[in-house]
Amino acid sequence: AQTVTQSQPEMSVQEAETVTLSCTYDTSESNYYLFWYKQPPSRQMILVIRQEAYKQQNATENRFSVNFQKAAKSFSLKISDSQLGDTAMYFCAFGQGSNYKLTFGKGTLLTVNP
Amino acid sequence: SQTIHQWPATLVQPVGSPLSLECTVEGTSNPNLYWYRQAAGRGLQLLFYSVGIGQISSEVPQNLSASRPQDRQFILSSKKLLLSDSGFYLCAWSMDNYEQYFGPGTRLTVT
């Protein structure tokens, strides 16, 4: 079974600064998908960014970007120019195989301080 | 555009009572549907998923069951709730890819 590890239970960053959240995963396959989801205090899960394993180029969505290191099985999320609204739990997720199921990490609670 | 609804938003039920949580998706046909539970505000545990009407797969044996009576309707049920069933329940949908979109969730407290 696939596993997803987020080694940072909590992190904090000052407003306008940059922060990187870590995620590692375990798989023996070469084709898979990776995601970062954000869960603010409202608890609504929001898709932030996705990365296909066959693409070498790192995905970017506005202030959010990833550092995908396939050989190291690492998928970190960088948030630039952090905003107070970025305060949330962030989940890394891995998708592979049939039925399009996702395996989630335990999450990192990010607090952006003013 | 597609939207996903869940209700109720909040529910307080006594131990031993039945449960029915509903999830509906609008704006798409034949989606894959998923039920997750999130305990203590961390980690999502996949409970059930469905790739079509009447097709339910269970991930974790437990006190809950799921049904999909219509294409875009997914129901989570229990005949007798346990204290351990308390948590935040999330429904999600996807098309034939891994990109899942979540509903607003139901907070269940079993007393």
Side-chain angles (χ1 to χ4, degrees):
Chain A
Q2 292 85 18
T3 57
V4 178
T5 302
Q6 293 181 248
S7 59
Q8 306 148 315
E10 295 187 30
M11 294 188 71
S12 63
V13 64
Q14 292 299 120
E15 196 174 6
E17 293 187 348
T18 296
V19 64
T20 299
L21 309 183
S22 301
C23 172
T24 58
Y25 55 93
D26 184 28
T27 183
S28 58
E29 302 295 324
S30 60
N31 191 26
Y32 48 87
Y33 295 79
L34 295 161
F35 302 88
W36 280 98
Y37 281 86
K38 168 185 176 180
Q39 188 180 40
S42 67
R43 303 195 79 172
Q44 173 73 58
M45 289 283 286
I46 302 165
L47 177 62
V48 175
I49 200 165
R50 63 175 282 169
Q51 175 80 42
E52 295 90 344
Y54 64 86
K55 290 186 178 179
Q56 293 185 341
Q57 186 173 6
N58 289 325
T60 299
E61 287 288 343
N62 300 315
R63 297 182 296 107
F64 298 87
S65 61
V66 299
N67 183 6
F68 174 48
Q69 301 289 329
K70 191 170 184 179
K73 298 179 184 177
S74 171
F75 182 61
S76 60
L77 175 70
K78 185 172 82 171
I79 306 174
S80 303
D81 186 25
S82 296
Q83 301 175 0
L84 296 178
D86 295 333
T87 292
M89 183 76 82
Y90 286 83
F91 293 96
C92 179
F94 173 94
Q96 181 184 51
S98 62
N99 299 314
Y100 302 106
K101 296 186 293 184
L102 291 178
T103 301
F104 286 83
K106 293 185 182 301
T108 296
L109 179 60
L110 176 67
T111 302
V112 180
N113 298 309
Chain B
S1 63
Q2 300 87 1
T3 56
I4 178 169
H5 304 278
Q6 286 186 246
W7 63 88
T10 305
L11 191 60
V12 180
Q13 292 283 96
V15 168
S17 64
L19 173 73
S20 181
L21 303 181
E22 190 166 343
C23 170
T24 59
V25 180
E26 296 177 355
T28 188
S29 296
N30 197 32
N32 301 315
L33 296 172
Y34 311 84
W35 277 114
Y36 292 88
R37 177 168 57 201
Q38 186 178 30
R42 298 189 71 100
L44 278 74
Q45 179 186 36
L46 179 63
L47 302 176
F48 301 94
Y49 66 92
S50 171
V51 299
I53 296 175
Q55 300 179 62
I56 308 295
S57 296
S58 174
E59 287 292 294
V60 182
Q62 57 205 324
N63 187 40
L64 302 170
S65 62
S67 61
R68 184 170 177 173
Q70 300 180 42
D71 180 42
R72 293 169 290 175
Q73 184 184 32
F74 205 22
I75 296 173
L76 184 69
S77 303
S78 174
K79 292 182 179 178
K80 290 185 177 182
L81 282 168
L82 306 173
L83 286 174
S84 58
D85 291 324
S86 292
F88 190 64
Y89 289 82
L90 286 159
C91 181
W93 71 272
S94 74
M95 293 310 294
D96 285 339
N97 56 52
Y98 295 93
E99 205 163 297
Q100 292 185 16
Y101 295 93
F102 287 80
T106 295
R107 186 186 306 274
L108 172 66
T109 303
V110 182
T111 60

